[in-house]
Amino acid sequence: MYHQYVTDISSITTLSLDLRRKLAAQGWQVGRPEIVKAFQSADGTERYLVHCSGPKPETVETVWMPEGDDGEAGDTTDEEPASGTKSWRRATICVSSQVGCAVNCQFCLTAKLGLQRNLTAGEIAGQVVAVLDRHSVRVGRDRVNLVFMGMGEPFLNYENFMAAVRLLVREVGLSPQRMTVSTSGIVPGIERFTEEPNDVRPKLAISLNAPNDDVRAEIMPINRKWPIAAVIDAVRPIRLRPHERITFEYVLLGGVTDQLEHARELARLVRRSGLPAKVNLIAWNPGPSIPYSTPNPETAERFRRTLAGEGIHAFIRQPRGRDIFAACGQLKRTIEA
Ligand code: SF4
């Protein structure tokens, strides 16, 4: 199922025909979430509606980004040579962990769905396997990164999320060093995560998005429960691998978080944290009925330069798949593209 991308019992040729027939007759099934619709962006990104069956059937969204979005920039994993004969040299899969989300970040379209349900470990790992199969990815040879930054807050579905990571590492053969999980700052989840052994621990990204508690609480109500200092304290015990850094994700909202004073304050905050860290800047991706504006590329670059001038490693993530609502914060089972 995980290596040969088998989706039904009759194809498991390592079992005798007789046994396969018996298993099928007894009602045993194997399977995985199914890509039922694909939206293609002009930039090569693909957004999938993925059907998860089970007692409460639902669709979630998974995104394939050939060439990635530079979210891995500044990491050691990004510096390896390209391999193979594919049309892409590297790719990133953005994976969902819940149907909808309860965290209610004000700039995010997924938040509008509310939380419908948690995904099971099989549904989380199965999204990845379905996409690997679609693109004939050869695990171990092709460069594929996973980001758990799709629909949902992974640390509010902790058991299933980590069980999926273990499946993806031990059964599919993907490296946890090529996986990044992003959290909005769920402190109990971060505390558990820092205790995970490094052989199954993805890299950690904190979705920070503001340089202080006042602004953050306005755009991320979760900050009232777990303010920035509590989040950073929870991260501190993590045992980072050599050259590994914590990523602070930072959405630039026009006029709200993208000013020079915000950049300077952010630089101070990152320095004071004492964590080996980098900052990923994301110009906000528009969504219907969300009242923010997208800063222009010059403003984003000026923000990055200000951070760099203060000694902070900062990178701008390229918007991927905006035209099909596949970009960060845009996943909401939108049929229109
Ligand atoms: S940004 Fe992430 S955590 Fe926040 S509402 Fe959207 S999906 Fe949930």
mmCIF file of all heavy atoms in Angstrom, residues 98 100-111 149-153 183-184 207 209 220 329, ligand 1:
data_model
loop_
_atom_site.group_PDB
_atom_site.id
_atom_site.type_symbol
_atom_site.label_atom_id
_atom_site.label_comp_id
_atom_site.label_asym_id
_atom_site.label_seq_id
_atom_site.Cartn_x
_atom_site.Cartn_y
_atom_site.Cartn_z
ATOM 1 N N GLN A 98 -6.910 18.486 9.444
ATOM 2 C CA GLN A 98 -8.291 18.494 9.926
ATOM 3 C C GLN A 98 -9.191 18.958 8.778
ATOM 4 O O GLN A 98 -8.704 19.597 7.834
ATOM 5 C CB GLN A 98 -8.467 19.488 11.090
ATOM 6 C CG GLN A 98 -7.641 19.166 12.327
ATOM 7 C CD GLN A 98 -7.862 20.191 13.438
ATOM 8 O OE1 GLN A 98 -7.670 21.392 13.242
ATOM 9 N NE2 GLN A 98 -8.268 19.716 14.607
ATOM 10 N N GLY A 100 -11.496 21.669 7.918
ATOM 11 C CA GLY A 100 -11.765 22.979 8.515
ATOM 12 C C GLY A 100 -10.782 23.245 9.641
ATOM 13 O O GLY A 100 -9.764 22.554 9.769
ATOM 14 N N CYS A 101 -11.087 24.235 10.456
ATOM 15 C CA CYS A 101 -10.174 24.593 11.541
ATOM 16 C C CYS A 101 -10.915 25.424 12.572
ATOM 17 O O CYS A 101 -11.783 26.222 12.232
ATOM 18 C CB CYS A 101 -8.996 25.397 10.992
ATOM 19 S SG CYS A 101 -7.728 25.697 12.251
ATOM 20 N N ALA A 102 -10.560 25.228 13.845
ATOM 21 C CA ALA A 102 -11.238 25.943 14.924
ATOM 22 C C ALA A 102 -10.459 27.165 15.403
ATOM 23 O O ALA A 102 -10.924 27.895 16.263
ATOM 24 C CB ALA A 102 -11.461 24.989 16.095
ATOM 25 N N VAL A 103 -9.256 27.386 14.838
ATOM 26 C CA VAL A 103 -8.374 28.399 15.434
ATOM 27 C C VAL A 103 -8.797 29.834 15.084
ATOM 28 O O VAL A 103 -8.545 30.766 15.829
ATOM 29 C CB VAL A 103 -6.899 28.115 15.069
ATOM 30 C CG1 VAL A 103 -5.989 29.199 15.613
ATOM 31 C CG2 VAL A 103 -6.482 26.772 15.648
ATOM 32 N N ASN A 104 -9.428 30.000 13.942
ATOM 33 C CA ASN A 104 -10.049 31.290 13.622
ATOM 34 C C ASN A 104 -9.087 32.443 13.373
ATOM 35 O O ASN A 104 -9.359 33.587 13.763
ATOM 36 C CB ASN A 104 -11.052 31.671 14.730
ATOM 37 C CG ASN A 104 -12.056 32.696 14.247
ATOM 38 O OD1 ASN A 104 -12.270 32.832 13.037
ATOM 39 N ND2 ASN A 104 -12.640 33.450 15.159
ATOM 40 N N CYS A 105 -7.958 32.167 12.748
ATOM 41 C CA CYS A 105 -7.074 33.268 12.334
ATOM 42 C C CYS A 105 -7.850 34.146 11.350
ATOM 43 O O CYS A 105 -8.467 33.635 10.409
ATOM 44 C CB CYS A 105 -5.812 32.720 11.680
ATOM 45 S SG CYS A 105 -4.917 31.581 12.754
ATOM 46 N N GLN A 106 -7.794 35.455 11.586
ATOM 47 C CA GLN A 106 -8.686 36.356 10.863
ATOM 48 C C GLN A 106 -8.349 36.499 9.385
ATOM 49 O O GLN A 106 -9.165 36.956 8.599
ATOM 50 C CB GLN A 106 -8.662 37.744 11.531
ATOM 51 C CG GLN A 106 -9.133 37.735 12.967
ATOM 52 C CD GLN A 106 -10.599 37.324 13.081
ATOM 53 O OE1 GLN A 106 -11.475 38.025 12.596
ATOM 54 N NE2 GLN A 106 -10.860 36.177 13.684
ATOM 55 N N PHE A 107 -7.126 36.122 9.017
ATOM 56 C CA PHE A 107 -6.697 36.307 7.625
ATOM 57 C C PHE A 107 -6.842 35.030 6.795
ATOM 58 O O PHE A 107 -6.419 34.972 5.654
ATOM 59 C CB PHE A 107 -5.215 36.745 7.596
ATOM 60 C CG PHE A 107 -4.337 35.878 8.461
ATOM 61 C CD1 PHE A 107 -3.885 34.658 7.997
ATOM 62 C CD2 PHE A 107 -4.001 36.272 9.755
ATOM 63 C CE1 PHE A 107 -3.101 33.842 8.795
ATOM 64 C CE2 PHE A 107 -3.223 35.458 10.571
ATOM 65 C CZ PHE A 107 -2.773 34.244 10.083
ATOM 66 N N CYS A 108 -7.458 33.983 7.368
ATOM 67 C CA CYS A 108 -7.416 32.657 6.746
ATOM 68 C C CYS A 108 -8.800 32.204 6.297
ATOM 69 O O CYS A 108 -9.758 32.241 7.070
ATOM 70 C CB CYS A 108 -6.850 31.661 7.757
ATOM 71 S SG CYS A 108 -6.958 29.957 7.209
ATOM 72 N N LEU A 109 -8.868 31.754 5.060
ATOM 73 C CA LEU A 109 -10.146 31.324 4.503
ATOM 74 C C LEU A 109 -10.624 30.004 5.113
ATOM 75 O O LEU A 109 -11.820 29.787 5.296
ATOM 76 C CB LEU A 109 -9.973 31.175 2.978
ATOM 77 C CG LEU A 109 -11.206 31.250 2.093
ATOM 78 C CD1 LEU A 109 -12.044 32.472 2.402
ATOM 79 C CD2 LEU A 109 -10.785 31.266 0.630
ATOM 80 N N THR A 110 -9.688 29.137 5.447
ATOM 81 C CA THR A 110 -10.065 27.837 6.048
ATOM 82 C C THR A 110 -10.852 28.054 7.345
ATOM 83 O O THR A 110 -11.759 27.281 7.672
ATOM 84 C CB THR A 110 -8.802 26.994 6.342
ATOM 85 O OG1 THR A 110 -8.036 26.884 5.149
ATOM 86 C CG2 THR A 110 -9.163 25.608 6.841
ATOM 87 N N ALA A 111 -10.494 29.125 8.069
ATOM 88 C CA ALA A 111 -11.166 29.393 9.348
ATOM 89 C C ALA A 111 -12.670 29.534 9.162
ATOM 90 O O ALA A 111 -13.453 29.222 10.063
ATOM 91 C CB ALA A 111 -10.582 30.653 9.976
ATOM 92 N N MET A 149 0.731 22.223 6.540
ATOM 93 C CA MET A 149 0.265 23.611 6.617
ATOM 94 C C MET A 149 -1.032 23.776 5.835
ATOM 95 O O MET A 149 -1.387 24.868 5.424
ATOM 96 C CB MET A 149 1.325 24.560 6.026
ATOM 97 C CG MET A 149 2.670 24.497 6.718
ATOM 98 S SD MET A 149 3.815 25.711 6.068
ATOM 99 C CE MET A 149 5.328 25.251 6.931
ATOM 100 N N GLY A 150 -1.697 22.656 5.552
ATOM 101 C CA GLY A 150 -2.963 22.730 4.828
ATOM 102 C C GLY A 150 -4.091 23.099 5.766
ATOM 103 O O GLY A 150 -3.918 23.896 6.693
ATOM 104 N N MET A 151 -5.262 22.500 5.550
ATOM 105 C CA MET A 151 -6.396 22.824 6.415
ATOM 106 C C MET A 151 -6.142 22.249 7.808
ATOM 107 O O MET A 151 -5.703 21.109 7.958
ATOM 108 C CB MET A 151 -7.671 22.199 5.837
ATOM 109 C CG MET A 151 -8.018 22.725 4.465
ATOM 110 S SD MET A 151 -9.300 21.732 3.667
ATOM 111 C CE MET A 151 -10.760 22.416 4.399
ATOM 112 N N GLY A 152 -6.456 23.056 8.822
ATOM 113 C CA GLY A 152 -6.418 22.541 10.187
ATOM 114 C C GLY A 152 -5.168 22.900 10.965
ATOM 115 O O GLY A 152 -4.189 23.391 10.413
ATOM 116 N N GLU A 153 -5.262 22.681 12.276
ATOM 117 C CA GLU A 153 -4.145 22.914 13.193
ATOM 118 C C GLU A 153 -3.650 21.525 13.632
ATOM 119 O O GLU A 153 -4.325 20.839 14.422
ATOM 120 C CB GLU A 153 -4.638 23.745 14.386
ATOM 121 C CG GLU A 153 -3.766 23.706 15.615
ATOM 122 C CD GLU A 153 -2.328 24.173 15.396
ATOM 123 O OE1 GLU A 153 -2.134 25.336 15.033
ATOM 124 O OE2 GLU A 153 -1.403 23.364 15.583
ATOM 125 N N THR A 183 2.470 25.355 13.447
ATOM 126 C CA THR A 183 1.411 25.497 14.459
ATOM 127 C C THR A 183 1.130 26.966 14.722
ATOM 128 O O THR A 183 2.023 27.819 14.641
ATOM 129 C CB THR A 183 1.785 24.791 15.785
ATOM 130 O OG1 THR A 183 0.724 25.003 16.737
ATOM 131 C CG2 THR A 183 3.086 25.309 16.371
ATOM 132 N N SER A 184 -0.133 27.230 15.065
ATOM 133 C CA SER A 184 -0.527 28.594 15.401
ATOM 134 C C SER A 184 -0.091 28.946 16.827
ATOM 135 O O SER A 184 -0.310 30.063 17.271
ATOM 136 C CB SER A 184 -2.044 28.735 15.269
ATOM 137 O OG SER A 184 -2.683 27.789 16.100
ATOM 138 N N SER A 207 3.627 29.810 13.459
ATOM 139 C CA SER A 207 2.902 30.793 12.658
ATOM 140 C C SER A 207 2.732 32.045 13.525
ATOM 141 O O SER A 207 1.788 32.179 14.279
ATOM 142 C CB SER A 207 1.548 30.167 12.289
ATOM 143 O OG SER A 207 0.871 30.965 11.395
ATOM 144 N N ASN A 209 3.285 35.775 12.729
ATOM 145 C CA ASN A 209 2.442 36.745 12.006
ATOM 146 C C ASN A 209 2.324 38.140 12.600
ATOM 147 O O ASN A 209 1.635 38.990 12.040
ATOM 148 C CB ASN A 209 1.022 36.194 11.796
ATOM 149 C CG ASN A 209 1.064 34.858 11.103
ATOM 150 O OD1 ASN A 209 1.860 34.669 10.187
ATOM 151 N ND2 ASN A 209 0.262 33.925 11.543
ATOM 152 N N MET A 220 -4.997 36.885 15.444
ATOM 153 C CA MET A 220 -5.031 35.470 15.847
ATOM 154 C C MET A 220 -5.553 35.389 17.274
ATOM 155 O O MET A 220 -4.792 35.459 18.253
ATOM 156 C CB MET A 220 -3.618 34.852 15.780
ATOM 157 C CG MET A 220 -3.028 34.828 14.389
ATOM 158 S SD MET A 220 -1.363 34.117 14.380
ATOM 159 C CE MET A 220 -1.707 32.373 14.608
ATOM 160 N N GLY A 329 -3.421 29.813 3.359
ATOM 161 C CA GLY A 329 -4.592 30.457 3.951
ATOM 162 C C GLY A 329 -5.788 30.514 3.024
ATOM 163 O O GLY A 329 -6.800 31.111 3.345
HETATM 164 S S1 SF4 B 1 -4.083 29.764 9.529
HETATM 165 FE FE1 SF4 B 1 -3.994 27.566 10.072
HETATM 166 S S2 SF4 B 1 -4.478 27.558 12.280
HETATM 167 FE FE2 SF4 B 1 -5.144 29.565 11.515
HETATM 168 S S3 SF4 B 1 -7.335 29.265 10.989
HETATM 169 FE FE3 SF4 B 1 -6.129 28.879 9.105
HETATM 170 S S4 SF4 B 1 -5.823 26.666 9.079
HETATM 171 FE FE4 SF4 B 1 -6.406 27.214 11.183
#
